[in-house]
Amino acid sequence: QKGIDPMALDMLAKEGIFALRRAKRRNMERLTLACGGVPVNSVEDLEVDALGWAGKLREETLGEDKFTFVENVKVGKSCTILIRGPNKHTIDQIKDATRDGLRAAMSAMEDRALVPGAGAFEVAAYRMLMRRKGAVSGRAKLGVEAFANAMLVVPKTLAENSGLDVQDSIIKLEEEQERSGEAVGLDLSSGETFLPASMGVWDSFTVKKQTLNLSTILATQLLLVDEVMKAGKAMGKQPAQGGEDE
């Protein structure tokens, strides 16, 4: 992309016009989304309708780099989050946490749904599966029970990482959900039960859905591999037995 001649920059500065000599294309696109307006390539295309608006514009030096801050915009369809930290490791951690938070917020807005956290959903799913176990017969009961027990991995891990007694915590959750009929979770600070919805403790609906779907598919594929291996071994034994009979 073409830049601005230094002499032209000086003339613009004398007239009180802030000009950037060079700007990346993606930054130009973001400015358009934030401030409005339309990018133009020549002076002849400049019109009032092509202009955007920002309330504050400043240049600041951070470390060895210069940054231009465009603030108080009217459109606000694009923004930049500035992360500062004492070292690269800390900045990377903050960046990951910020990205996870933004994605969780985006998923909640797209799904228009949330799931109670603190292990409440997993315990409720466990209780439902154990009730449904009576609706199936034969070896399928073992599969339902195994799936139900797998759901308790999350609340068990939460209790163990918080230094709580795992069995006591699970029993408390089951009894409280049975008594109240509500999706109560585990308070990791006190070890008591509480309503996650009242404290704003939520899990992503999309994450829970994908976890259940993917875990079921993986378990099915592993069982299928076992069946294929058993079938292969059985086929290998048949010719040998036939030769001995002859």
Side-chain angles (χ1 to χ4, degrees):
Q1 287 180 287
K2 297 181 180 180
I4 303 177
D5 186 84
M7 184 177 296
L9 281 175
D10 184 62
M11 296 172 63
L12 291 170
K14 289 180 179 179
E15 297 297 328
I17 300 174
F18 187 93
L20 300 176
R21 184 178 183 185
R22 296 188 185 277
K24 295 181 180 179
R25 181 174 180 176
R26 62 177 183 178
N27 290 337
M28 294 291 292
E29 294 172 351
R30 290 173 178 173
L31 278 175
T32 303
L33 292 174
C35 303
V38 180
V40 294
N41 296 318
S42 63
V43 180
E44 289 75 13
D45 296 332
L46 284 176
E47 297 179 358
V48 177
D49 296 336
L51 298 178
W53 191 92
K56 186 177 181 182
L57 184 66
R58 61 188 174 88
E59 185 179 76
E60 185 176 341
T61 302
L62 301 176
E64 299 179 355
D65 300 320
K66 288 184 179 181
F67 295 88
T68 302
F69 292 84
V70 181
E71 302 173 341
N72 301 333
V73 296
K74 284 186 175 180
V75 182
K77 292 184 178 180
S78 176
C79 65
T80 301
I81 299 176
L82 177 62
I83 299 175
R84 299 186 183 185
N87 49 61
K88 186 178 182 300
H89 176 68
T90 303
I91 293 176
D92 290 339
Q93 286 186 318
I94 299 174
K95 187 188 299 183
D96 291 339
T98 304
R99 185 184 296 111
D100 292 343
L102 289 174
R103 288 176 177 173
M106 181 184 68
S107 297
M109 294 175 65
E110 292 177 350
D111 297 333
R112 296 182 178 273
L114 290 170
V115 178
F121 166 76
E122 287 77 10
V123 174
Y126 165 80
R127 294 178 58 247
M128 182 272 295
L129 289 170
M130 294 303 289
R131 291 194 302 269
R132 292 285 298 171
K133 187 174 68 169
V136 298
S137 60
R139 298 178 63 182
K141 288 181 179 291
L142 300 177
V144 176
E145 184 176 354
F147 196 94
N149 290 329
M151 296 297 299
L152 294 179
V153 170
V154 172
K156 285 181 178 180
T157 303
L158 291 174
E160 184 177 358
N161 291 344
S162 301
L164 304 174
D165 186 274
V166 175
Q167 295 299 329
D168 288 345
S169 300
I170 298 300
I171 291 173
K172 282 182 182 179
L173 288 174
E174 289 186 53
E175 291 178 346
E176 184 61 26
Q177 288 196 8
E178 183 70 26
R179 185 189 64 81
S180 63
E182 296 182 347
V184 298
L186 180 64
D187 189 336
L188 304 184
S189 300
S190 62
E192 300 298 327
T193 59
F194 77 111
L195 282 174
S198 63
M199 301 297 292
V201 180
W202 301 99
D203 283 334
S204 172
F205 171 78
T206 298
V207 172
K208 292 296 182 185
K209 182 177 67 174
Q210 292 180 346
T211 301
L212 292 176
N213 290 338
L214 184 59
S215 60
T216 305
I217 293 173
L218 291 177
T220 304
Q221 293 298 322
L222 289 174
L223 293 174
L224 181 61
V225 170
D226 290 343
E227 293 297 328
V228 172
M229 293 178 65
K230 289 179 182 179
K233 290 180 180 179
M235 292 176 63
K237 292 178 180 179
Q238 288 177 1
Q241 291 175 356
E244 291 176 358
D245 293 339
E246 294 175 358

